[in-house]
């Protein structure tokens, strides 16, 4: 019955957590860091719902091993292949999540995120001011404005107002 319970738990997790899509890795404007953060957050909510938090009595932390297995099973073949290149000898979910998160942290393109933020306008005349501000707040989380200096601000102004579309595309693509 333990195998049936584990199979049911994995089926339940698969129902609420779709495979992590790694397509379009060549697009540098794609914010894999953000997509990964949102995907892992959803997975962890499902872990909590499934009761995968308690440790086993021997201190081996079976829940960590189960969560790692679920992470790699639900993440899909591409994520498993990526994980296998990351040199992680630890058998825990926490270590696997940290390794993958570290890998995707390099995929953050602040120029693209900030450009999108500054280009946000109300969607329509039906969108209220509060709704627009809420969308701005949500988008602003990924912009790391607390780490923005004068050089970054100038880069964004050039990106927003240059009359040269090729320069704008190059700045965003290369996070120059």
């Amino acid at each position: 019955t333990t195998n049936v319970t584990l199979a049911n738990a994995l089926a339940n997790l698969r129902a609420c957590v779709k495979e992590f899509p790694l397509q379009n890795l060549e697009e540098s404007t794609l914010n894999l860091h953000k997509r990964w953060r949102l995907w892992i957050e959803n997975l962890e909510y499902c872990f909590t719902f499934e009761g995968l938090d308690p440790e086993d009595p021997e201190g081996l932390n079976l829940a960590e091993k189960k969560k790692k297995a679920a992470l790699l099973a639900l993440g899909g073949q591409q994520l498993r292949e990526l994980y296998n290149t990351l040199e992680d000898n630890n058998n825990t979910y926490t270590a696997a999540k940290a390794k993958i998160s570290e890998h995707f942290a390099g995929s953050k393109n602040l120029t693209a995120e900030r450009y999108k933020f500054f280009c946000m306008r109300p969607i329509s005349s039906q969108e209220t001011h509060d709704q627009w501000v809420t969308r701005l707040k949500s988008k602003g989380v990924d912009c790391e404005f607390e780490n923005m200096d004068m050089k970054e601000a100038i880069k964004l102004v050039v990106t927003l107002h240059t009359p040269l579309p090729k320069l704008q595309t190059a700045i965003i693509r290369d996070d120059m």
Side-chain angles (χ1 to χ4, degrees), residues 10 14 19 36 39 43 47 65-84 88 91-93 96-97 100:
L10 191 57
R14 275 210 170 108
E19 185 173 302
W36 169 252
W39 188 88
L43 178 67
F47 282 165
K65 292 176 184 176
K66 287 170 61 176
K67 287 192 293 187
K68 178 181 177 185
L71 165 71
L72 297 174
L74 296 171
Q77 181 179 348
Q78 286 183 311
L79 188 66
R80 283 189 303 277
E81 288 173 4
L82 169 73
Y83 174 74
N84 289 333
D88 179 24
N91 200 22
T92 66
Y93 164 76
K97 176 184 147 189
I100 297 169

Side-chain angles (χ1 to χ4, degrees), residues 119-144:
C119 289
M120 287 181 73
R121 299 174 191 258
I123 294 173
S124 69
S125 59
Q126 275 66 45
E127 183 177 41
T128 67
H129 179 74
D130 287 343
Q131 290 170 329
W132 182 38
V133 170
T134 298
R135 281 192 312 112
L136 285 166
K137 286 179 181 178
S138 178
K139 186 65 178 163
V141 169
D142 298 320
C143 295
E144 297 183 16

